[in-house]
Amino acid sequence: MDFEYSSEQEQMASALRRFLAKEYDFAARNRIITSGQGCSDAVWQALAELGLLALPLPEKYGGFDGRLVDLMAIMEVLGEALVIEPFFSTVALGAPFLMRGGTPEQQQQWLPRIATGECRVAFAQQEADARYDLAHCSTTATARNGGWLLHGEKRVVLHGACADLLVVAARAGGNPDDAQGISLFLVAADAPGVRLRGYSTADGLSAADIEFDQVVVSGDALLGQAGDGLALMEEVTDRATAVLCAEAVGVLRLAYQVTLEYLKTRKQFGEPIGSFQALQHRMVELFIDLEQAYSMVCLVCARLDAGVGPEERRRLASAAKIRIGDACRRSSQETVQMQGAMGMSDEMMISHAFRRLTMIAQRLGDAEHHLERFAARRRCSGNRFPDGEGRIGNACRIDERGRTLERQDLQRRMDPRRRRQSGRHRKGNRQCAGANRDCHTG
Amino acid sequence: MVRSGQPPGAEVSLLKIKGTAIQQQLSELMLQAAGPHGQRGMPQGGEIDAHDSLMAALAPRYFNLRKLTIAGGTDEVQRNIIAKMRLGL
């Protein structure tokens, strides 16, 4: 197994780190947050010039065919600097919707613009009563004149206020919690009838409540199959969860390093407070949390890159988010406590790391949500690296072996004997409805 | 204890440790219960909905209450006091 980044990944990460150190220090970040824009055009253009916005995109649309492990390297660095720009929403969440569900025409229309920084994307799925359930959708899509009419309201859309393009989940049929019937649409943020109310999240990101008031979209705005949007949403958000966990590792590392430095310099009773065992042991716990979180992110990114079936993908994403969620909560609370009043100060980086960690813990589902989701899954081949595949430092190409694995996995899953077995296994389980729903759509 | 003229002892420290922990846990539980709504901040301008402003107050409250185990003698100092005064360590 190899947990070292490749030299290309190292170069990419250190170019970004250099840029952020120069242009995105604490004061610059604060200026962007208080500007009311929610993001900085100049920074976005710089990220485009570094090639980062094009990282996961296909080569023919100006991209680099990057994998999750490549995004992981970048998101860690963005996490370390507590960046607020809509990189996650656009590159880790928005672009994959187009890459995995879009027609060649849709890809041609939007992906090159994402690569050059002309188009920021947000995923408008969350509704007032949805909590973390992707299947909950009461926004409606009504077929009309070869196109669609969208009506409903989305809440707390991450980076919604600075997006040019929205990926909107809307229901073409059924009840608000049905697995079937959800369709995805590409809607320009300035389309008539789209009303945004922007604000900052508790950790300084731009967000919006978005109302769709009888919004008319054409037939080619439909992303993927009508009524079958849940499978695509699950796939894309599971992969995005892995990337979000990588961001968390960056923030955890920042919080850990700042606190360790504080324990070595702050004196009490004539000695650095780090000389006291009571604090040493707690700091060691944070070190273990950080290492476990990093290992978990390596695991989920490398496994998803190697190609796993939907069932195992869900398990891996949820397992990672559980570990990360717990680490975020413990680490944020402990680092603030150990730094005392300094940890509470708005002028100190650590208080902002605290906010980011708290919010990541609840983004795309908290630990409790993912624990339930994880427990509802049939046991798969286990969350371990297959022999010889435990590596994160690959060049940006999906290798042949990964594709073969995915094919074999699909064939195995389509075996009717296996499907019957898994159906029986779930009978009588409280999670039955949810699990079967996923089984049909996954 | 105060009425009978005794000086406050380790019980005060115990009270502070438990009292502040409960307040912190409550604010954390409220934030978790809010789910995705716990992410929101105050909308800029326009009418402010009562539900939204309640949700927007949860995260700042949770952040702010971290101070309870720091100010007025940190949790660690309170434990030192109990160890020394009550346990004789």
Side-chain angles (χ1 to χ4, degrees):
Chain A
M1 290 192 193
D2 179 5
F3 293 109
E4 297 294 318
Y5 283 126
S6 68
S7 59
E8 290 91 343
Q9 288 168 331
E10 287 285 2
Q11 275 172 12
M12 216 166 48
S14 60
L16 175 60
R17 206 173 267 127
R18 273 197 307 277
F19 164 74
L20 293 173
K22 198 159 147 257
E23 307 285 344
Y24 210 88
D25 62 7
F26 190 60
R29 175 183 182 273
N30 271 348
R31 274 197 299 277
I32 299 169
I33 292 177
T34 51
S35 74
Q37 300 287 317
C39 55
S40 153
D41 290 337
V43 171
W44 197 246
Q45 214 44 57
L47 293 179
E49 279 158 28
L50 285 167
L52 299 178
L53 303 183
L55 184 57
L57 306 183
E59 204 175 356
K60 62 176 165 179
Y61 300 120
F64 299 98
D65 286 320
R67 299 151 50 111
L68 284 178
V69 289
D70 303 307
L71 273 181
M72 170 187 162
I74 295 309
M75 276 308 274
E76 270 188 63
V77 179
L78 294 174
E80 282 168 21
L82 301 179
V83 167
I84 64 158
E85 312 304 318
F87 185 87
F88 173 74
S89 290
T90 301
V91 181
L93 201 49
F97 268 113
L98 287 153
M99 284 156 57
R100 290 171 180 269
T103 61
E105 291 74 28
Q106 288 169 331
Q107 295 183 347
Q108 183 59 53
Q109 187 183 356
W110 297 106
L111 292 182
R113 297 174 60 195
I114 290 175
T116 53
E118 293 161 72
C119 174
R120 289 178 266 231
V121 192
F123 177 34
Q125 177 269 326
Q126 182 68 50
E127 294 186 1
D129 302 324
R131 203 164 169 83
Y132 300 116
D133 185 4
L134 287 175
H136 182 97
C137 179
S138 55
T139 298
T140 55
T142 316
R144 183 166 299 182
N145 303 333
W148 301 84
L149 199 62
L150 307 183
H151 192 76
E153 194 182 2
K154 300 293 179 182
R155 312 296 295 269
V156 202
V157 175
L158 205 58
H159 292 123
C162 58
D164 304 293
L165 177 68
L166 303 170
V167 177
V168 184
R171 183 170 287 286
N175 298 313
D177 288 307
D178 287 352
Q180 289 297 318
I182 301 174
S183 302
L184 296 168
F185 297 92
L186 298 169
V187 183
D190 58 2
V194 178
R195 278 198 291 274
L196 279 100
R197 288 219 304 167
Y199 49 88
S200 288
T201 59
D203 60 335
L205 306 184
S206 105
D209 294 338
I210 308 178
E211 200 185 325
F212 296 89
D213 184 10
Q214 309 289 345
V215 175
V216 179
V217 295
S218 59
D220 58 9
L222 178 69
L223 188 69
Q225 296 294 313
D228 205 18
L230 183 61
L232 181 60
M233 280 200 284
E234 278 222 26
E235 183 187 358
V236 171
T237 47
D238 277 342
R239 296 173 64 84
T241 299
V243 180
L244 182 67
C245 290
E247 181 186 7
V249 166
V251 188
L252 286 168
R253 187 172 294 128
L254 167 73
Y256 167 80
Q257 281 168 347
V258 170
T259 307
L260 186 60
E261 190 56 34
Y262 185 79
L263 293 194
K264 288 176 179 175
T265 48
R266 160 90 168 138
K267 288 195 174 160
Q268 192 64 268
F269 311 115
E271 288 176 79
I273 58 174
S275 66
F276 305 129
Q277 274 196 344
L279 294 186
Q280 283 173 359
H281 292 178
R282 286 162 69 175
M283 201 61 209
V284 169
E285 287 299 318
L286 297 192
F287 171 75
I288 294 172
D289 266 346
L290 174 60
E291 287 298 311
Q292 284 191 303
Y294 178 67
S295 300
M296 198 68 219
V297 173
C298 289
L299 173 75
V300 64
C301 290
R303 290 284 285 139
L304 295 191
D305 277 343
V308 295
E311 191 80 13
E312 189 159 1
R313 185 199 71 224
R314 292 188 192 105
R315 263 182 81 86
L316 282 161
S318 284
K321 196 62 181 20
I322 295 163
R323 170 64 65 198
I324 293 298
D326 287 347
C328 283
R329 260 153 67 186
R330 185 161 46 228
S331 183
S332 59
Q333 293 175 357
E334 284 286 81
T335 50
V336 164
Q337 181 68 25
M338 284 195 267
Q339 295 194 49
M342 301 290 274
M344 292 294 299
S345 164
D346 210 32
E347 287 77 38
M348 305 302 286
M349 196 80 160
I350 193 68
S351 74
H352 296 267
F354 179 93
R355 290 176 171 92
R356 176 63 51 86
L357 288 171
T358 305
M359 290 297 114
I360 289 180
Q362 291 191 206
R363 214 158 263 163
L364 299 184
D366 60 12
E368 284 73 16
H369 167 80
H370 283 284
L371 205 54
E372 211 166 306
R373 191 171 181 250
F374 185 88
R377 302 285 148 223
R378 177 168 43 83
R379 183 135 192 89
C380 298
S381 59
N383 297 328
R384 55 191 168 76
F385 287 105
D387 291 339
E389 282 187 40
R391 56 179 190 266
I392 59 170
N394 284 329
C396 299
R397 290 283 179 272
I398 295 168
D399 59 36
E400 203 46 52
R401 189 172 154 73
R403 290 208 183 109
T404 314
L405 266 174
E406 193 160 33
R407 248 195 327 269
Q408 285 169 347
D409 201 58
L410 277 172
Q411 282 163 358
R412 213 179 61 232
R413 259 154 231 289
M414 285 166 73
D415 179 355
R417 277 169 304 171
R418 235 184 126 83
R419 292 179 68 136
R420 271 202 303 279
Q421 272 175 2
S422 67
R424 215 175 24 242
H425 178 72
R426 289 187 182 118
K427 233 176 198 171
N429 186 326
R430 199 176 73 79
Q431 289 300 319
C432 192
N436 282 333
R437 178 179 74 216
D438 293 341
C439 182
H440 293 316
T441 56
Chain B
M1 189 191 291
V2 174
R3 208 176 296 152
S4 64
Q6 291 176 33
E11 289 78 5
V12 177
S13 295
L14 195 157
L15 190 64
K16 184 177 186 250
I17 290 171
K18 286 297 158 195
T20 53
I22 290 168
Q23 288 186 68
Q24 287 183 343
Q25 283 163 10
L26 271 177
S27 70
E28 187 175 4
L29 186 61
M30 285 165 76
L31 180 62
Q32 279 177 272
H37 296 286
Q39 308 258 329
R40 66 162 55 251
M42 284 290 180
Q44 295 145 5
E47 269 180 50
I48 295 175
D49 183 73
H51 170 269
D52 290 353
S53 60
L54 175 69
M55 293 297 142
L58 293 177
R61 182 180 156 81
Y62 167 65
F63 297 148
N64 189 33
L65 289 190
R66 304 315 301 174
K67 72 185 176 194
L68 295 179
T69 47
I70 295 167
T74 64
D75 241 28
E76 291 76 14
V77 167
Q78 303 299 343
R79 284 180 164 79
N80 283 348
I81 291 171
I82 297 174
K84 201 168 180 176
M85 289 179 69
R86 191 61 178 266
L87 311 186
L89 292 171

